[in-house]
Amino acid sequence: MKTNIILMGPPGAGKGTQAKLIIAAYKLPHISTGDMFREAMKNETPLGLKAKSYIDQGHLVPDDVTIGIVEERLNQDDCKGGFLLDGFPRTIPQAEALDKMMEKMHRSIDLVIDVETPKEELIRRISGRRVCKACGAPYHVDTMKPKVDGVCDICGGELIQRKDDNVSALTTRLEHYEHETKPLLDYYANKGNLVTVDGSKEKDDLFLDVSSLIRGE
Ligand code: AP5
């Protein structure tokens, strides 16, 4: 089984949705830089206040800040048996920093899953997305509705729209993806650990594909 895993893909590709299924099935710690920043923003910590000025407008949080929080998290005990990185790395300097972290830990990334989803589908997904205010679980007003309107199936929390899920911030996020994150596909293809999956599939069908990759089938 692959245990040191990166989930990549543009905003709205379905990374968070697949991550929830992966961590439930394979008991890996979920390291989502987006979730970490949102938690810090909710608690109004110095990190949260700094991140908010970038995130709400769709910009990337500076590399030094992002690399620091990931390094600290990867050094925690629960990551010893593996981890699922979701939304990190997003720039070449972040990928190079991650390589150095892996080297120090005498480990390596053994699978990079790129969730490839067409742009018009990303826009449809982001504009209809609702997330649980308490646990962050994602829903969609048309395709992934909760059992009770406005209420999270998992924890009963309130469903809200993310502040960066608007047309202006999404345009900026997609531009950052094109220019800064997409070059990572070549970076990992050259290392031989990149696999692309079809993100336009229904979530449970996509999870079957993702599961086969994790099990190394
Ligand atoms: P982050 O939280 O990582 O946001 P993102 O990459 O823009 O990704 P999203 O969370 O928008 O989408 P997703 O791919 O997880 O899709 P989801 O599963 O929710 O980052 C937020 C911000 O933090 C960044 O913009 C940046 O500012 C900052 N940041 C984070 N990491 C950083 C880093 N490394 N460096 C610098 N800055 C960083 O699904 C989307 C919708 O589609 C949902 O409604 C869902 O229900 C629906 N859906 C999902 N799968 C399917 C399916 N198969 N079929 C139909 N609908 C589906």
Side-chain angles (χ1 to χ4, degrees), residues 15-149:
K15 304 181 293 295
T17 302
Q18 291 304 312
K20 296 261 183 249
L21 298 171
I22 295 169
I23 57 165
Y26 298 104
K27 314 292 173 218
L28 291 170
H30 178 202
I31 305 179
S32 158
T33 38
D35 286 352
M36 287 158 95
F37 289 136
R38 279 185 289 278
E39 184 63 22
M41 280 156 58
K42 194 165 83 182
N43 296 325
E44 298 184 345
T45 64
L47 170 70
L49 295 174
K50 179 156 194 181
K52 187 174 166 52
S53 58
Y54 297 95
I55 293 181
D56 284 356
Q57 290 173 43
H59 291 299
L60 293 180
V61 177
D63 283 340
D64 58 337
V65 177
T66 311
I67 290 166
I69 64 163
V70 171
E71 182 153 29
E72 199 182 311
R73 181 68 186 88
L74 281 174
N75 276 308
Q76 288 171 8
D77 277 353
D78 64 332
C79 293
K80 284 196 173 128
F83 51 79
L84 177 69
L85 279 168
D86 164 5
F88 182 93
R90 257 181 226 240
T91 64
I92 295 282
Q94 290 182 14
E96 290 170 347
L98 178 63
D99 283 346
K100 285 198 188 115
M101 291 176 216
M102 291 293 105
E103 221 175 284
K104 258 200 246 169
M105 294 172 182
H106 306 291
R107 297 165 72 172
S108 59
I109 299 296
D110 40 36
L111 178 64
V112 181
I113 304 173
D114 170 39
V115 184
E116 193 179 74
T117 309
K119 192 172 170 187
E120 56 282 11
E121 178 66 6
L122 300 175
I123 294 167
R124 194 195 65 76
R125 287 184 185 179
I126 293 276
S127 45
R129 170 166 55 188
R130 298 294 180 271
V131 293
C132 175
K133 199 174 168 183
C135 76
Y139 295 86
H140 191 278
V141 291
D142 298 321
T143 49
M144 285 171 51
K145 295 182 185 180
K147 290 184 188 115
V148 178
D149 209 21

Side-chain angles (χ1 to χ4, degrees), residues 136-195:
Y139 295 86
H140 191 278
V141 291
D142 298 321
T143 49
M144 285 171 51
K145 295 182 185 180
K147 290 184 188 115
V148 178
D149 209 21
V151 180
C152 177
D153 292 348
I154 301 165
C155 74
E158 180 195 354
L159 301 189
I160 55 160
Q161 188 161 26
R162 260 169 52 176
K163 254 201 167 157
D164 58 342
D165 280 353
N166 59 67
V167 179
S168 155
L170 178 59
T171 307
T172 308
R173 286 158 68 194
L174 288 170
E175 279 166 11
H176 282 298
Y177 176 77
E178 274 305 312
H179 298 117
E180 278 140 287
T181 309
K182 229 174 167 185
L184 291 181
L185 299 182
D186 280 342
Y187 183 90
Y188 286 113
N190 288 334
K191 287 178 181 282
N193 48 15
L194 178 78
V195 184

